[in-house]
Amino acid sequence: MKENVLKVENVTMQFGGVVAVDNLNLEVGKGEIVALIGPNGAGKTTAFNVITGVYQPTNGAVWFQGEKIVENHPQGKMKQQYKGEHAGDYAQVLAPTPDKVTRLGMARTFQNIRLWKSQTVFDNVLIAKHCRAASNVFSAAFRLNRKEEAAQRENVLELLETVGLADVKDEPATSLPYGKQRRLEIARALA
Ligand SMILES: Nc1ncnc2c1ncn2[C@@H]1O[C@H](COP(=O)(O)OP(=O)(O)OP(=O)(O)O)[C@@H](O)[C@H]1O
Ligand SMILES: [Mg+2]
């Protein structure tokens, strides 16, 4: 059997009467690069929002590295309104917040660039390292986290080199042209 990193299973996302995503099934295997394409309003962003915990789907489930991380079924008003497929197949509610999904190892960029505008290119990526850090207020205050921070800074530099932004690391993020801001978001997601 193919080893799936990501599996989207019968995902439907309805906003009232608007069916933004209708029974989506998608699998991404290890090492694969997969694109989701479709015209404006097809539901691509909504699909990513369901996968990363921004929205709870109306129905269906999302699996990540063999573990079910998202599941939902029509509830409340939707119970009557839902006319989609696979009604009744999903019974529990699993709704991790986006930060929990990130912690599991799935990161994203945004359709509309969302960088920390006044921060430098370097700091935008360094901030993303926070969710992997073991330090706390105490260890940071007494600089016991020095080693960890040095390793993080090293890794941030590597990531900036990977996306070709090492030469502008000290510039404010918003001084970069659009294409480079996109690359910065990718570096942050990788971090
Ligand atoms: N929060 C929301 N509330 C209500 N309707 C929404 C919401 N988010 C998206 N929609 C609707 O869901 C449908 C899919 O939108 P979505 O943004 O996912 O499309 P998209 O494929 O990303 O489009 P684009 O190519 O323009 O980015 C649209 O009809 C949109 O109006
Ligand atoms: Mg979109």
Side-chain angles (χ1 to χ4, degrees):
M1 208 185 83
K2 191 174 73 169
E3 193 186 342
N4 281 323
V5 172
L6 179 70
K7 186 173 159 200
V8 178
E9 184 189 289
N10 304 322
V11 162
T12 295
M13 180 81 226
Q14 254 177 279
F15 299 103
V18 177
V19 186
V21 175
D22 189 5
N23 201 44
L24 174 70
N25 283 278
L26 172 81
E27 288 180 19
V28 181
K30 199 172 176 184
E32 272 184 342
I33 295 175
V34 174
L36 184 59
I37 60 170
N40 296 140
K44 304 178 294 294
T45 298
T46 305
F48 287 115
N49 282 338
V50 168
I51 292 167
T52 56
V54 177
Y55 294 149
Q56 283 176 251
T58 309
N59 197 48
V62 177
W63 298 71
F64 181 61
Q65 289 176 338
E67 187 194 341
K68 197 188 273 179
I69 61 165
V70 170
E71 177 170 345
N72 205 13
H73 56 91
Q75 297 171 57
K77 260 195 206 161
M78 269 303 155
K79 241 178 173 167
Q80 274 92 49
Q81 280 196 18
Y82 186 70
K83 302 275 183 278
E85 291 175 71
H86 298 283
D89 287 6
Y90 299 91
Q92 54 167 341
V93 177
L94 274 175
T97 46
D99 59 307
K100 298 231 167 65
V101 174
T102 307
R103 234 171 262 263
L104 289 171
M106 184 154 43
R108 66 174 298 183
T109 61
F110 298 89
Q111 181 158 358
N112 301 309
I113 287 173
R114 297 196 190 171
L115 294 167
W116 284 285
K117 296 188 171 105
S118 57
Q119 307 282 357
T120 63
V121 167
F122 186 87
D123 284 347
N124 263 276
V125 182
L126 183 62
I127 291 165
K129 283 274 164 204
H130 176 75
C131 75
R132 300 266 176 268
S135 57
N136 53 40
V137 173
F138 178 82
S139 61
F142 291 97
R143 303 299 290 144
L144 303 172
N145 62 336
R146 207 176 291 148
K147 250 196 179 151
E148 182 180 52
E149 195 183 315
Q152 286 178 341
R153 287 177 176 274
E154 186 68 30
N155 184 240
V156 168
L157 272 182
E158 283 166 18
L159 287 169
L160 288 175
E161 255 152 41
T162 306
V163 298
L165 294 177
D167 57 329
V168 289
K169 70 179 179 61
D170 298 321
E171 306 284 326
T174 43
S175 73
L176 302 183
Y178 183 84
K180 287 188 175 180
Q181 289 193 24
R182 275 248 83 98
R183 282 198 254 155
L184 178 53
E185 267 212 336
I186 292 168
R188 183 177 63 181
L190 289 170

